[in-house]
Amino acid sequence: MQFTSASISDTLDARLSYASSTVRILEPNPEPEVPNPLVEGTHYTVTGKDTGALVWTFTEAGRLLLDANQGKSIQIELVTTVDEVGDGSIPNDDYESEFNDTVVPGEEVPYTYWGELKITKVDDSTPAVNLAGAEFQVFLPNDGGTCEAEAPATGPLATGTSNASGVVQWVLAPATADDPAVTAGVLG
């Protein structure tokens, strides 16, 4: 079968905004080595970045790659910015793929869970006095799922400094592709 049309769409939850994406074709084994990504503008285009109604449409060059790799999976590493936490549960429940005018809806609904961290820094006096200027950093856990005693060499996810009331004001680090949401489709 040759692909005459191929696209993947994903409508973001209203609390998210698009940051970036990377498209790859994966080998069919349990722990695939991720090959070089396809090139936006050469193998595919992305529309809807500003609206959250995302569509990755494969160009002729991209469809030729799909033709040559039937049976393998397409992976889209989708990086978004959480603009609002809401209830903390953000589903990805509106995605599908289309190959040769046949629409295949997404089967699993992946979720991300978010919360807000509020810290008030006080001293140990009685009554406690709020402290301004205390600095904090939040990091990902190590591979074992625990936090190191010392700050890791990689950058923090967020930093914060307590204000005059002792309440920490958080600043998020820029989004990276180290921990993206992943949407995948299967070819042919």
Side-chain angles (χ1 to χ4, degrees), residues 4-170:
T4 57
S5 67
S7 65
I8 298 172
S9 63
D10 191 345
T11 302
L12 298 180
D13 185 281
R15 295 167 288 176
L16 303 176
S17 58
Y18 178 87
S20 66
S21 63
T22 304
V23 179
R24 293 182 172 87
I25 297 175
L26 303 179
E27 295 298 323
N29 56 43
E31 294 187 30
E33 290 184 27
V34 179
N36 292 328
L38 282 66
V39 177
E40 184 176 351
T42 300
H43 301 111
Y44 65 93
T45 60
V46 184
T47 57
K49 293 177 183 180
D50 293 335
T51 65
L54 301 167
V55 179
W56 292 264
T57 303
F58 290 88
T59 63
E60 183 176 356
R63 290 191 308 274
L64 288 172
L65 283 176
L66 299 182
D67 290 342
N69 288 282
Q70 291 193 35
K72 296 180 182 176
S73 294
I74 300 168
Q75 177 189 64
I76 297 178
E77 291 182 4
L78 174 58
V79 179
T80 62
T81 300
V82 178
D83 299 316
E84 183 183 326
V85 173
D87 66 2
S89 176
I90 301 178
N92 184 4
D93 57 358
D94 192 5
Y95 66 96
E96 64 187 20
S97 56
E98 173 274 320
F99 299 101
N100 294 344
D101 298 321
T102 300
V103 174
V104 179
E107 294 177 3
E108 297 180 24
V109 177
Y111 285 83
T112 60
Y113 298 96
W114 295 86
E116 296 185 66
L117 176 63
K118 182 176 181 181
I119 296 175
T120 302
K121 180 66 175 170
V122 297
D123 67 8
D124 62 357
S125 65
T126 303
V129 175
N130 295 333
L131 297 175
E135 296 179 354
F136 296 85
Q137 295 179 323
V138 178
F139 294 88
L140 287 172
N142 62 25
D143 291 340
T146 61
C147 296
E148 302 291 341
E150 299 293 323
T154 59
L157 295 174
T159 59
T161 304
S162 59
N163 63 17
S165 299
V167 177
V168 176
Q169 304 298 302
W170 294 102

